[in-house]
Amino acid sequence: MVKLSSTEEENTEFLASLWQRYKYLLLLIVLGVVGGLVGWEAWNDNRAYKLQSSSDLYQSFLDSVDDKGLNETEIAQKILDNYPNTLYADLVNFHLVQVNVEENKLDESEKILKKILEKHSSRWSDDYNPVEATATLRLARVLIAKGSPLQAIELIDGYPYINGSLLEVKGDAQVEMSQFNEAKLNYLKALESTQNTSIKSLIKMKLADLGE
């Protein structure tokens, strides 16, 4: 048998005393670590399942748009109810806005777009958010269609990331308010900021209507 030195014996005694004193605490720590790892893995599995489920449901929604035999409204509502914080919910809402605009249900379109903006408001982040940008643009158009061009201008002026599309819509709102000089200025700014040929042509037509 190997004889322990006094130092080794002291160390062994010390460790034994520590174990006796803190064994329950150490067991709790070990159990906590193991439980955390298991919980993390379960959370990841659940997240992956939800992502796949929401993706599958959105694909069903796209199929329902093309196939009138499927219940488009029912599938859309399932996405909004079960996955409200996903991009799929935003895409469904944008589709519903389009449908409502085509059916002249402008109040409903305004309501949906305002909900999207509440969810993605830049007040909570300084980063550019394409969903927020799209909702701002479409809401401005809806407000103009409802006969509220001033509200559309205020909405655009309050948005920090002005682009060519917003400048063009702001010009549209100013035309509705007979602010023709201001409209021309924004149309020209929009013309300079876009590379899209068809959009350029449309803006040039608007300028021509104003006598530019």
Side-chain angles (χ1 to χ4, degrees):
M1 175 181 287
V2 178
K3 180 174 174 54
L4 297 175
S5 66
S6 59
T7 302
E8 289 175 323
E9 289 174 349
E10 289 171 0
N11 287 340
T12 301
E13 268 185 42
F14 176 68
L15 292 172
S17 65
L18 282 179
W19 171 250
Q20 287 299 322
R21 186 172 183 178
Y22 297 111
K23 60 182 177 182
Y24 296 113
L25 176 60
L26 291 171
L27 286 171
L28 284 174
I29 291 172
V30 171
L31 289 173
V33 170
V34 172
L37 291 173
V38 172
W40 174 257
E41 186 172 346
W43 181 84
N44 274 331
D45 289 344
N46 185 55
R47 183 170 179 269
Y49 171 76
K50 284 185 175 181
L51 285 172
Q52 186 61 50
S53 297
S54 60
S55 176
D56 292 343
L57 194 55
Y58 182 69
Q59 184 57 55
S60 297
F61 172 74
L62 293 179
D63 293 340
S64 72
V65 172
D66 298 325
D67 184 355
K68 297 307 177 183
L70 298 175
N71 194 327
E72 174 186 335
T73 304
E74 182 179 336
I75 298 174
Q77 197 58 51
K78 280 184 179 179
I79 294 174
L80 296 177
D81 289 342
N82 297 324
Y83 309 102
N85 297 317
T86 64
L87 177 60
Y88 299 119
D90 294 327
L91 295 174
V92 166
N93 272 324
F94 281 135
H95 175 78
L96 295 177
V97 167
Q98 180 182 343
V99 171
N100 284 323
V101 168
E102 291 171 354
E103 296 177 355
N104 202 33
K105 297 177 180 178
L106 300 180
D107 288 338
E108 188 62 28
S109 292
E110 180 183 0
K111 180 181 175 182
I112 294 172
L113 289 166
K114 283 183 175 179
K115 282 185 177 180
I116 295 174
L117 285 176
E118 286 175 8
K119 187 170 107 175
H120 291 276
S121 174
S122 58
R123 289 175 298 176
W124 308 111
S125 173
D126 293 329
D127 297 330
Y128 173 78
N129 185 328
V131 173
E132 183 184 11
T134 301
T136 299
L137 177 64
R138 296 188 182 183
L139 179 56
R141 287 174 175 161
V142 167
L143 290 171
I144 294 171
K146 286 185 63 179
S148 303
L150 180 58
Q151 289 184 40
I153 291 172
E154 291 172 346
L155 175 68
I156 294 170
D157 286 343
Y159 183 65
Y161 301 100
I162 300 298
N163 54 37
S165 296
L166 287 170
L167 288 168
E168 181 189 353
V169 172
K170 185 176 180 180
D172 294 341
Q174 288 165 332
V175 167
E176 292 295 317
M177 297 177 67
S178 299
Q179 297 175 353
F180 302 118
N181 290 331
E182 292 87 346
K184 284 181 182 179
L185 180 60
N186 280 301
Y187 285 151
L188 288 170
K189 288 179 180 178
L191 194 62
E192 291 175 359
S193 65
T194 184
Q195 302 299 320
N196 187 292
T197 305
S198 60
I199 292 177
K200 279 181 177 287
S201 298
L202 178 60
I203 295 173
K204 287 177 180 178
M205 288 174 60
K206 292 181 179 181
L207 285 167
D209 289 340
L210 293 177
E212 181 64 23

